[in-house]
């Protein structure tokens, strides 16, 4: 049964990864849109005699013209009334920090709109993806339990409103649900993009450098989204198993970690641990134990009915092989990792 539940966990991770790919496409589209807006803005600034905001502020600080206290509209009006040439009109506009600041604020609003749209799509994709992870995890768990007992029984359909309540409920110790995390990430990204853009303009940075710096911020946000998707996916997969175990009368469960070299220390130490269902708590006695956790749970019965079964393991070459289901991570490592290293050392391979 361990092997089948590990396959269920892999299927849940695959569904989360599909959601992540969708979100990554959204990030690429938003980044392209934002970069286009920034390029247009810098292009207009360059056309207007190429004076940067920092240069405009230096001109202001020199106080070469006392009329600099005027609003830019006052300058334009004065110029029109006194038939000033077009070149001087542009210089006056460039010299007005207020003029550039107003244009910069307009650009910031455009960027914020792009980010707001991006995160609205992200929330929709994640809500739909996690809903599928939960429902698939619940039904597949029920199916595998029926296979294990070789006995069919009725399983009620999951009500979508029930799923929405489960999705809305915070599960981590900070009391924040995945939707809140998305919008917190959005606020952080908007602030970082605005600050980066202001720094780039104030320092007169090359437009491409500004675009590269903002792309870096977008990539960091995309990585945060990736961790969120995979961690929340692992939680709702685990929550589905818990609810199904409870509904079908399972009394104990066992933690099953992935048998490969990438498994975290906490998952290694908890592999094979058995707990009563009343102690099932995500992040404490059940997965996910950390970001991108791959551990899962299986029903535990005091009587194995004479069948040990198998669980999957993965070697350094990436190939999958199977070991007895009752072999823990510690036993697997001692047999298939440490022993191989010792044998290689004795034979002079290392």
């Amino acid at each position: 049964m361990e092997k089948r539940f590990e396959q269920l966990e892999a299927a849940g991770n695959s569904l989360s990864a599909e959601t992540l790919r969708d979100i990554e496409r959204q990030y690429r589209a938003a980044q392209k849109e934002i970069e286009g807006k920034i390029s247009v803005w810098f292009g207009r600034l360059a056309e207007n005699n190429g004076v940067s905001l920092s240069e405009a502020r230096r001109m202001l600080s020199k106080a070469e013209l006392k009329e600099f206290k005027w609003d830019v509209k006052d300058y334009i009006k004065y110029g029109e009334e006194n038939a000033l040439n077009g070149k001087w009109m542009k210089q006056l506009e460039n010299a007005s920090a207020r003029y550039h600041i107003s244009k910069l604020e307009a650009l910031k609003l455009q960027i914020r709109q792009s980010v707001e749209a991006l995160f609205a799509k992200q929330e929709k994709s994640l809500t739909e993806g996690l809903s599928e992870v939960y429902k698939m995890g619940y039904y597949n768990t029920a199916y595998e339990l029926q296979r294990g007992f070789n006995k069919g029984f009725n399983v009620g359909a999951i009500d979508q409103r029930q799923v929405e309540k489960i999705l809305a409920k915070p599960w981590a110790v900070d009391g924040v649900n995945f939707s809140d995390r998305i919008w917190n990430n959005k606020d952080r990204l908007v602030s970082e993009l605005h600050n980066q853009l202001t720094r780039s303009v104030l320092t007169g940075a090359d437009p491409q450098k500004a675009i590269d710096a903002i792309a870096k911020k977008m990539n960091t946000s995309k990585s945060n989204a990736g961790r969120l998707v995979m961690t929340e996916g692992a939680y709702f997969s685990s929550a589905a198993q818990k609810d199904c175990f409870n509904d079908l009368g399972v009394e104990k469960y066992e933690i099953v970690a992935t048998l490969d070299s990438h498994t975290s220390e906490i998952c290694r130490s908890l592999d094979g641990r058995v707990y009563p269902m009343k102690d099932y708590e995500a992040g404490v006695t059940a997965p996910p134990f950390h970001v991108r956790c791959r551990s899962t749970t299986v029903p535990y019965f005091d009587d194995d009915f004479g069948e040990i079964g198998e669980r999957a393991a993965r070697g350094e070459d990436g190939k999958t092989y199977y070991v007895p289901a009752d072999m823990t991570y510690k036993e697997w490592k001692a047999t298939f990792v440490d022993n191989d290293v010792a044998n290689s050392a004795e034979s002079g391979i290392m």
Side-chain angles (χ1 to χ4, degrees), residues 130-341:
L130 294 178
S131 177
E132 285 305 306
V133 166
Y134 180 86
K135 289 189 284 189
M136 184 191 76
Y138 187 97
Y139 289 133
N140 286 347
T141 297
Y143 172 72
E144 292 299 343
L145 282 171
Q146 291 190 35
R147 283 184 64 191
F149 290 119
N150 196 27
K151 180 181 178 182
F153 39 82
N154 292 330
V155 176
I158 300 174
D159 186 88
Q160 183 60 33
R161 287 173 297 182
Q162 175 192 350
V163 175
E164 289 170 1
K165 284 180 65 177
I166 293 168
L167 294 183
K169 184 178 179 181
W171 61 273
V173 293
D174 60 5
V176 178
N177 66 16
F178 79 89
S179 180
D180 293 331
R181 293 186 198 284
I182 287 175
W183 294 109
N184 288 342
N185 288 344
K186 183 270 298 182
D187 291 341
R188 184 163 58 249
L189 178 60
V190 167
S191 176
E192 289 176 348
L193 292 184
H194 284 184
N195 290 340
Q196 182 60 58
L197 186 61
T198 301
R199 281 197 299 273
S200 298
V201 173
L202 284 174
T203 58
D206 180 87
Q208 189 56 50
K209 288 185 177 179
I211 288 172
D212 290 344
I214 283 172
K216 189 175 180 180
K217 299 291 184 185
M218 291 288 288
N219 285 331
T220 299
S221 179
K222 184 169 65 177
S223 296
N224 292 338
R227 286 193 293 272
L228 178 64
V229 170
M230 300 309 292
T231 303
E232 294 290 330
Y235 166 72
F236 286 106
S237 178
S238 181
Q241 287 189 331
K242 174 190 176 183
D243 291 345
C244 189
F245 288 173
N246 280 329
D247 290 346
L248 298 180
V250 172
E251 296 180 354
K252 296 180 181 180
Y253 67 95
E254 180 181 354
I255 296 172
V256 178
T258 302
L259 298 182
D260 66 21
S261 59
H262 302 294
T263 301
S264 67
E265 287 298 328
I266 186 171
C267 290
R268 295 180 187 191
S269 65
L270 291 172
D271 184 50
R273 292 277 188 92
V274 176
Y275 295 97
M277 284 301 301
K278 65 180 179 64
D279 291 339
Y280 198 112
E281 184 179 353
V284 181
T285 58
F289 297 109
H290 54 82
V291 173
R292 294 183 183 271
C293 184
R294 298 174 298 158
S295 293
T296 187
T297 58
V298 298
Y300 178 83
F301 303 100
D302 295 320
D303 188 345
D304 61 15
F305 306 103
E307 181 182 351
I308 299 299
E310 294 180 325
R311 62 184 298 192
R314 189 176 295 108
E316 289 295 331
D317 57 3
K319 293 182 179 180
T320 300
Y321 58 95
Y322 295 94
V323 299
D326 60 355
M327 177 178 280
T328 65
Y329 191 97
K330 185 182 291 186
E331 292 168 341
W332 169 79
K333 185 173 183 293
T335 304
F336 292 95
V337 179
D338 298 340
N339 194 44
D340 282 352
V341 171

Side-chain angles (χ1 to χ4, degrees), residues 1-8 298 309-312 322 325:
M1 189 174 289
E2 281 85 352
K3 186 164 94 175
R4 293 198 294 270
F5 274 86
E6 284 176 323
Q7 290 168 347
L8 286 187
V298 298
E310 294 180 325
R311 62 184 298 192
Y322 295 94

Side-chain angles (χ1 to χ4, degrees), residues 70 74-90 92:
W70 292 354
D74 295 324
Y75 282 115
I76 294 173
K77 181 181 178 182
Y78 178 81
E80 289 172 345
E81 290 175 350
N82 293 276
L84 296 179
N85 63 46
K87 182 178 180 181
W88 178 239
M89 291 295 296
K90 283 190 175 182
L92 286 174

